């Protein structure tokens, strides 16, 4: 065994086993149909991951659990989220909500952030009930 001199070979084997299982479960590796059980090959998905370092970010993001988004949010932030740019995705979501609240409350663009939310959600103060 090439790694028998490692100080923690059991932990190394555990990590390698987990990584190999992940590769098989997520399609970068598959069995070679004409060979016996232990033979594996890199799939087209695996070659795509290797071709561009950004592909692993997209691949990883697609496998993160995300529930359905409102259609207006989907277009505004899905690309940022899939690329792993969570800060921009959060900003885009916040901006989309702010615009929707402003439009629903009938306010102009001079109302922003906290003051907008306070005015929009205080109907007894702005004549809306």
């Amino acid at each position: 065994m090439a790694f028998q001199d490692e100080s923690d070979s059991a932990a190394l084997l555990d990590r390698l086993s987990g990584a190999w299982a992940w590769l098989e479960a997520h399609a970068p590796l598959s069995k070679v149909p004409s060979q016996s059980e232990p033979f594996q090959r890199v799939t087209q998905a695996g070659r795509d991951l290797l071709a561009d370092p950004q592909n692993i970010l997209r691949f990883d993001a697609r496998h993160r659990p995300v529930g359905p988004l409102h259609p207006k949010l989907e277009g505004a932030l899905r690309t940022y989220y899939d690329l792993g740019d969570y800060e921009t995705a959060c900003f885009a979501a916040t901006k989309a909500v702010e615009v929707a609240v402003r439009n629903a409350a009938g306010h102009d663009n001079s109302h922003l952030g906290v003051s907008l939310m306070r005015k929009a959600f205080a109907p007894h103060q702005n004549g809306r009930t």
Side-chain angles (χ1 to χ4, degrees):
M1 292 177 22
F3 50 88
Q4 64 191 13
D5 294 330
E6 288 288 327
S7 61
D8 196 356
S9 60
L12 177 61
L13 277 174
D14 186 52
R15 288 192 305 270
L16 288 172
S17 176
W20 193 263
W22 184 93
L23 288 169
E24 290 179 322
H26 292 90
L29 289 180
S30 70
K31 293 180 170 75
V32 177
S34 61
Q35 298 291 328
S36 63
E37 185 67 29
F39 287 93
Q40 301 279 326
R41 67 179 175 89
V42 177
T43 64
Q44 183 60 49
R47 288 190 292 278
D48 291 344
L49 288 175
L50 293 171
D52 178 4
Q54 293 298 313
N55 285 341
I56 192 68
L57 294 174
R58 292 182 196 101
F59 184 84
D60 185 44
R62 282 194 308 265
H63 291 88
R64 289 189 189 110
V66 173
L69 297 172
H70 188 279
K72 290 183 179 178
L73 290 178
E74 180 73 36
L77 67 101
R78 176 63 70 184
T79 301
Y80 297 120
Y81 182 85
D82 287 347
L83 292 174
D85 187 357
Y86 305 116
E87 183 177 353
T88 304
C90 288
F91 178 79
T94 303
K95 178 78 171 158
V97 169
E98 183 177 285
V99 169
V101 168
R102 184 182 303 116
N103 291 340
H107 295 300
D108 62 37
N109 290 340
S110 66
H111 295 94
L112 303 170
V114 174
S115 67
L116 167 65
M117 296 304 164
R118 285 186 177 148
K119 287 182 183 243
F121 291 100
H124 59 282
Q125 293 176 352
N126 64 18
R128 294 178 182 254
T129 56

